[in-house]
Amino acid sequence: MKNSTFRIPVLIPFLLKGVAVLLVLISSDLIAQPGSTELDLKSPKELKSPKVSLQESQKSLAQEYRLFEEKLFTLFEYEKKQNPTRAKLLKQAFQMSQEKMTASQLEQIALSLNDSKFKAAEKNQAQVLTNLSELLYLLQTEDRGSRVRDRIKRFQQYLSDVDRLLRNQKSVRGQAERKEPIPSLVPSQIKILERTVQLSDEMQNEAAESPNRINDSLPEKKSSEDPGQQGKPAPDSPNDSKIQDSQSAGQDNSETINPIAQNLQRAVDRMRQAQRELEMAKVKNAVSRMQQAEEKLAAAKRDLEEILRQLREEKIERTLEKLESRFRVILEKQVRVLESTNKLNRIGRSQRGPQFEIQCGKLSKQQDEIQSDLNRAYLLLIEDGSSVAFPSTVEEVQKDMIQVSNRLQRARIDELTIELQNSIVQTLKFLIDSLVQSQVDREKMKQAQSSQQGQPGEQPLVQQIAELKMIRELQNRIFVRHQRYNALLGDPLDPVGFATEKDLQAALNRLSDKQLKLTNITRDIVLESAK
């Protein structure tokens, strides 16, 4: 493969840059007019020879793309065990490229140019551009999670602003209906108007600068008014047509403005009309305009709530998928440590020398690495903050891993160490099953509610029933471990069963702490449900 010193960890940004460069090159005017077969690419590599034939240029692009595909697959192979989530994305990208035969299309374009078949080359170029755009979009989804979190924060602020404007407008309308002095109403109405204009401009500017940041988040439904029509809002009454809307003044690009900004702009128009009516002492008309403005603000609020619901749902889905992937990798590593520990445990105590201790030290280090991986998953759960039993369970597994690492470091390989590792493996499997079931449950819930308007608000990572199942499972594991510890006593039939070995005493103390913590978790869930 070319460039054997290419650093694997930086391949993702390279891939994104590579696809982007290919897009730019191909979308350039590569297809010359009949009779012309040369093009000045102005590429740094070609500065010494500014005039490059179209055939050579296209052939070079095809070779670069073949190299790109090789590196795409190389990174997939590298990330399979290190980062399954990224590996899945890279596999999808590689398969997409293979299925669409993009590399072959690039080579075919070069052949067409060589035979002066410009029409055929142009047709294939258009298809390649589409393929590369889709591939670029797919690769960019890797950082979709962070963008979703940013959007949630941004739209939460938008929602808060719109809600405040709606409350303020209702307050001014109430004052007008109570026939309070007009001089005190006009400044309040102007203040609401100015803030609504500012918010509308913010959203329109953001959509213009980065259309996908807002428009990709919009609910897949039409605006709350003007079904099937985008453009200038329909007047609420015949008199509205006599008043020039600010949106119609020199603006003919309403198609590019998202429905929320459209409703805010309509609210601005009605607020301006209300201000004019107040200044003319036409309070009744002003109240009507205010009501219309409130309707537009309420429509914008509903759209924002729907966006937030969708974004939160996507965030949860991505978190569950990421957690499942990480826990599977952790489980695989833990099983290997358990298998190695079992092998060492079969070595007689009289045969356990320096080499045995070295192997135990290596396993201890591996256990520490696994615990670090688990800690990263734990931080994901803490960041979500909606689950109680799940992060607490992970935290207990972490403590078990630390205990196992310490015992391995001291070469204390016995039934107690094996029991702790078995418990870790079983708990990890249970966590993975819970994550899988949560994803299944959410999908069923989504299908059941597909025809209904979802309610906004933070949604838990796992439903309460899943939390309760986890608590039940944890209690059962405490019971099973207690029985196994009992079997390690000198006389398992002793009704009192005092433990004399220090390690066993420490293990029983840990089990007592687990029981106390599980009791507290259960109480917290009960209290939360009672609110």
Side-chain angles (χ1 to χ4, degrees), residues 468-493:
L468 294 175
K469 288 180 179 179
M470 188 168 295
I471 289 174
R472 182 186 64 185
E473 182 66 21
L474 289 174
Q475 183 62 68
N476 181 62
R477 293 189 185 284
I478 290 175
F479 173 69
V480 171
R481 187 179 292 190
H482 188 204
Q483 287 183 316
R484 290 177 178 173
Y485 287 165
N486 181 62
L488 296 176
L489 296 175
D491 183 5
L493 299 179

Side-chain angles (χ1 to χ4, degrees), residues 126-174:
Q127 183 59 52
V128 168
L129 280 171
T130 300
N131 295 348
L132 289 177
S133 295
E134 293 175 359
L135 186 60
L136 181 61
Y137 179 83
L138 177 61
L139 289 172
Q140 287 176 327
T141 60
E142 186 183 35
D143 65 343
R144 171 72 180 176
S146 61
R147 295 203 303 272
V148 167
R149 289 192 295 271
D150 291 341
R151 286 176 179 175
I152 288 176
K153 292 179 181 178
R154 192 163 60 254
F155 280 99
Q156 282 176 332
Q157 185 59 54
Y158 286 149
L159 178 59
S160 177
D161 291 341
V162 170
D163 190 51
R164 187 181 304 109
L165 288 169
L166 182 56
R167 292 197 310 269
N168 292 343
Q169 184 62 82
K170 288 181 177 180
S171 176
V172 173
R173 176 170 60 85

Side-chain angles (χ1 to χ4, degrees), residues 231-245:
K232 182 177 175 180
D236 292 301
S237 69
N239 291 333
D240 284 353
S241 60
K242 298 179 181 179
I243 303 176
Q244 184 180 32
D245 288 345

